[in-house]
Amino acid sequence: MSAKLIAGNWKMFKGPSETLAFFDRFEAPDGVDVVLCPPYVSLEAAVGEEWPIYAQNVHWAAEGAFTGEVSAAMLVELGVQGTLVGHSERRQFFGETDETVKQRAEAALDAGLAVIACVGETEAERESGETDAVLRRQVATLPRHDELVIAYEPVWAIGTGRTATPKLAQEAHALIKSCHPTRVLYGGSVKPENAEELLSQPDIDGALVGGASLDPYSFSTICRTAASLS
Ligand code: PGA
């Protein structure tokens, strides 16, 4: 079996000094692929460390009048190896659409960055039986590329403490892989206590971890669990 990929999404937490303090305490064994996604201002502090560092977003243009945005070339110059795109918080609060997510993913891949593209249904979409259609639509717009990984993050499970059951997550992962064969990570309230049962599912190839990646000990524990299952 190939190694699981565990990615930590710090969201808008940890400036450069907290970033360095995290790496003083974080450890991961062999047998797991680890990625950390700090905020833009902490990328430079993080790239000197042992693990691949990804941004949390990237713009599709090489440069231009796009206040507040960062290009793929700028990330590459800094030593960043990849980026998230399409996180549900970007879709919900910052107007990201399937089309902008696709453009961001393509620009990142063209520049040589790896991509973790996030998809997932809202609670209302799940309750009205639209989960499959939403996932198919979101996945269909993503470019096919060896360096693109998908993260399935049901919006109702993010930051809420409500995790998808392993069975429900497995079903969604199988659907996503039938549309787009690639590694698929699960995200949404992953923590040391539930990592093993989620990561044991046959189509769950890793995890995108928010809250529990902020604490170096919790994140180390999740990485150890993943290594033990590889
Ligand atoms: P959470 O966040 O682990 O805090 O639920 C996951 C994510 O949004 O990537």
Side-chain angles (χ1 to χ4, degrees):
M1 235 198 287
S2 62
K4 305 275 186 195
L5 170 59
I6 305 296
N9 173 17
W10 286 355
K11 308 191 181 186
M12 201 172 71
F13 292 95
K14 295 194 194 293
S17 56
E18 283 185 73
T19 296
L20 293 174
F22 173 93
F23 284 111
D24 279 345
R25 294 174 182 80
F26 172 65
E27 312 179 311
D30 290 341
V32 56
D33 296 334
V34 178
V35 158
L36 269 308
C37 311
Y40 286 129
V41 294
S42 300
L43 290 172
E44 192 166 12
V47 287
E49 302 292 338
E50 190 182 331
W51 292 278
I53 300 302
Y54 286 18
Q56 296 174 14
N57 203 9
V58 66
H59 196 263
W60 52 83
E63 58 185 6
F66 299 107
T67 303
E69 294 282 334
V70 167
S71 75
M74 293 169 185
L75 296 173
V76 169
E77 183 179 343
L78 218 51
V80 170
Q81 294 185 31
T83 185
L84 303 179
V85 295
H87 190 279
S88 68
E89 286 150 15
R90 301 293 321 169
R91 295 178 190 257
Q92 269 182 294
F93 306 130
F94 301 99
E96 295 278 351
T97 63
D98 291 340
E99 184 54 32
T100 59
V101 172
K102 173 180 176 237
Q103 288 182 39
R104 290 178 195 272
E106 284 173 348
L109 293 164
D110 285 350
L113 293 172
V115 167
I116 300 176
C118 307
V119 300
E121 80 286 1
T122 63
E123 185 158 33
E125 288 163 344
R126 176 158 286 273
E127 278 172 5
S128 58
E130 291 169 69
T131 298
D132 283 18
V134 168
L135 294 179
R136 283 180 197 279
R137 191 200 73 224
Q138 291 178 344
V139 168
T141 53
L142 298 175
R144 301 257 173 148
H145 194 288
D146 287 350
E147 294 298 325
L148 182 131
V149 167
I150 295 176
Y152 169 59
E153 300 204 306
V155 178
W156 46 270
I158 295 178
T160 58
R162 284 175 62 196
T163 319
T165 61
K167 179 170 174 291
L168 186 151
Q170 164 58 30
E171 280 166 12
H173 282 231
L175 172 83
I176 291 167
K177 285 192 186 187
S178 73
C179 304
H180 192 130
T182 185
R183 278 163 121 184
V184 182
L185 315 181
Y186 171 77
S189 299
V190 175
K191 40 189 184 264
E193 299 76 34
N194 60 20
E196 181 164 2
E197 59 173 3
L198 287 161
L199 293 168
S200 307
Q201 299 300 310
D203 289 311
I204 298 188
D205 305 311
L208 180 55
V209 185
S213 72
L214 295 172
D215 176 62
Y217 303 109
S218 300
F219 197 56
S220 299
T221 304
I222 294 169
C223 292
R224 273 199 304 277
T225 301
S228 73
L229 296 168
S230 293

